[in-house]
Amino acid sequence: FNGVDGILIPGGFGDRGIEGKIMSAQYARENNIPFLGICLGMQCAVIEFARNICSMKDANSTEFNTDTPHPVIDLMHSQKDIKDKGATMRLGKYSCTLSTKSNSYNAYKKNNINERHRHRYEFNNNYKEQFKKSGLSFSGINKKLDLVEIIENKNHNWFVGVQFHPELKSRIVKVHPLFKDFIAATIKYKS
């Protein structure tokens, strides 16, 4: 990563390359490099934070390790009994309330947003307090479903992970606010 001005980990499925993505999130966190994690990218950042900051050595997602002692990312409760996987993910637009003291709020410049989703796994709320005590901020919450939508590292200049997919709403002439702010953070980091 020598000379890299920002790290973006996109969404995806499966365990291919996961440990490398987790190491990338760690590198961004440890070197104060602007970071944007999208869906799976956010989940990798959560796993890295759990392992290296919260001292949960074997933390993981149940997507990758069903026997992990610390399932910090887990299958959504609404997905647990689904056998036929066709078109059953959390899909479509969902609301999110932003914390006013966050990079996300600074990007959107409003309290409530709506973003598109496409996933089955979420942050496991059983670990919320432990993460908060260790410096991870939950700056975006879906209050209706009590789901974490955005995480931020309080001890970093610009480290944002989102459960949703901002790329689905970004256009050439109207760039998504998170991409715009991420690029601005990389330019600032470079100079």
Side-chain angles (χ1 to χ4, degrees):
F1 288 122
N2 188 26
V4 169
D5 301 320
I7 296 174
L8 186 150
I9 301 176
F13 296 95
D15 64 355
R16 190 179 76 180
I18 288 299
E19 291 303 320
K21 293 172 186 171
I22 292 168
M23 288 171 50
S24 299
Q26 179 179 0
Y27 189 85
R29 179 184 55 77
E30 289 178 345
N31 293 282
N32 210 26
I33 296 172
F35 175 86
L36 177 59
I38 298 172
C39 197
L40 179 65
M42 181 205 93
Q43 295 171 5
C44 289
V46 166
I47 294 166
E48 185 281 319
F49 196 89
R51 290 177 182 177
N52 297 305
I53 301 300
C54 298
S55 301
M56 294 182 229
K57 183 180 161 211
D58 296 317
N60 216 325
S61 167
T62 55
E63 181 180 6
F64 317 132
N65 179 0
T66 55
D67 297 323
T68 178
H70 302 290
V72 294
I73 302 295
D74 199 6
L75 194 61
M76 297 172 63
H77 291 292
S78 63
Q79 296 285 313
K80 294 205 185 245
D81 295 326
I82 294 174
K83 302 291 183 237
D84 183 14
K85 303 274 186 198
T88 58
M89 286 189 259
R90 181 180 179 210
L91 294 167
K93 182 174 77 168
Y94 289 86
S95 65
C96 175
T97 302
L98 302 179
S99 167
T100 56
K101 295 180 181 176
S102 68
N103 285 317
S104 301
Y105 178 83
N106 291 339
Y108 285 97
K109 300 191 182 357
K110 56 185 172 178
N111 291 88
N112 296 299
I113 61 169
N114 290 290
E115 291 289 352
R116 291 175 58 191
H117 291 258
R118 187 175 186 272
H119 56 94
R120 295 183 197 291
Y121 292 84
E122 291 274 351
F123 179 85
N124 184 342
N125 283 340
N126 293 329
Y127 292 92
K128 213 171 187 179
E129 289 308 312
Q130 192 169 356
F131 274 80
K132 278 184 186 177
K133 287 178 187 172
S134 297
L136 198 71
S137 168
F138 302 101
S139 57
I141 302 289
N142 178 303
K143 290 185 176 181
K144 183 177 180 184
L145 300 173
D146 189 31
L147 296 174
V148 171
E149 301 285 12
I150 305 174
I151 59 114
E152 295 189 28
N153 189 326
K154 292 181 189 177
N155 302 314
H156 195 284
N157 289 331
W158 210 96
F159 192 105
V160 177
V162 299
Q163 186 58 70
F164 49 83
H165 288 268
E167 72 276 14
L168 298 175
K169 290 176 68 178
S170 196
R171 302 292 180 262
I172 292 172
V173 294
K174 189 174 182 188
V175 177
H176 191 282
L178 288 176
F179 289 131
K180 185 177 177 183
D181 268 28
F182 172 65
I183 296 300
T186 65
I187 292 167
K188 184 177 178 182
Y189 174 81
K190 185 175 185 172
S191 57

